Amino acid sequence: MIEILDNLDVLYRPRLDLTTVEMNGIALGEPATSVPRLSIIQAQSSVVARYHGGTDIDSEYYHADGRRLSLDEVVNHAVRSDGFLYCANKVTYKVRAGTVVGFTIYGPHLSHFAHLTSYEDVLAAFGRPDQAHEDVAYGDLMGYDTYYWGAQKLVRWDAWDHRVSLINLGAFQGNTGP
């Protein structure tokens, strides 16, 4: 198995067999309970009807009946069903039916790609995408989402900060084609 975080260059590949990679020792297809509980700082699950949180704000989760949920309750639901497990080291696991089906990498890990200072650099490094979408808000270009179906990968380019801001692999919308 190739540990992605130890070999970020593997993410340049336009074709990647996801059965050969893992992130923090977790492979796609493993039970979500394999994600170390102590590393999870936030979670998302269908048990949450209302969420309050953000940068420098403690997360609060609420059930549909108005009852406040603990992080442990949300994580317990997510690892048995569907959701996302956000970890302290700026990686996220997507969960479907209790199984890890996707990885997201962001934050300091992406400093590996800091030399890519333009969208043209991204295209030269990662190759021609199978599909690309401009993200435009109020007439301003926010960035590009580039999809590589042979690797089930999205590379997001942030046009304001001139950097790769997110890479995800696996079962995310758009990663396998239209």
Side-chain angles (χ1 to χ4, degrees):
M1 286 290 219
I2 301 168
E3 173 55 55
I4 292 172
L5 298 179
D6 292 339
N7 187 8
L8 289 165
D9 284 344
V10 73
L11 296 174
Y12 286 122
R13 297 180 188 171
R15 299 219 170 286
L16 181 60
D17 179 356
L18 295 184
T19 65
T20 66
V21 297
E22 60 187 10
M23 187 172 73
N24 282 338
I26 310 292
L28 295 178
E30 285 193 33
T33 54
S34 300
V35 177
R37 187 61 73 117
L38 293 177
S39 73
I40 300 170
I41 58 168
Q42 190 177 348
Q44 184 179 16
S45 169
S46 62
V47 74
V48 177
R50 189 169 58 90
Y51 168 78
H52 177 74
T55 305
D56 299 325
I57 299 172
D58 289 336
S59 296
E60 296 177 2
Y61 306 94
Y62 296 91
H63 190 271
D65 65 10
R67 178 176 50 92
R68 188 166 178 181
L69 299 167
S70 69
L71 175 60
D72 279 340
E73 289 174 295
V74 178
V75 170
N76 288 340
H77 190 269
V79 299
R80 289 189 322 267
S81 60
D82 299 342
F84 293 88
L85 304 173
Y86 301 92
C87 298
N89 62 340
K90 303 296 184 184
V91 298
T92 298
Y93 298 91
K94 182 177 182 180
V95 178
R96 186 180 301 138
T99 302
V100 175
V101 297
F103 303 139
T104 301
I105 303 166
Y106 49 99
H109 301 291
L110 298 179
S111 66
H112 181 80
F113 305 102
H115 64 284
L116 306 175
T117 58
S118 71
Y119 182 59
E120 292 73 24
D121 289 346
V122 169
L123 295 178
F126 286 92
R128 182 181 173 100
D130 294 295
Q131 190 167 40
H133 294 285
E134 280 188 355
D135 179 11
V136 177
Y138 304 104
D140 292 323
L141 176 65
M142 306 303 288
Y144 294 94
D145 289 339
T146 53
Y147 296 92
Y148 299 87
W149 299 332
Q152 295 181 32
K153 174 178 66 185
L154 161 70
V155 177
R156 180 169 295 150
W157 169 255
D158 183 321
W160 284 55
D161 290 332
H162 304 283
R163 66 184 180 90
V164 172
S165 60
L166 177 141
I167 297 175
N168 71 32
L169 298 166
F172 290 90
Q173 184 175 352
N175 280 8
T176 58

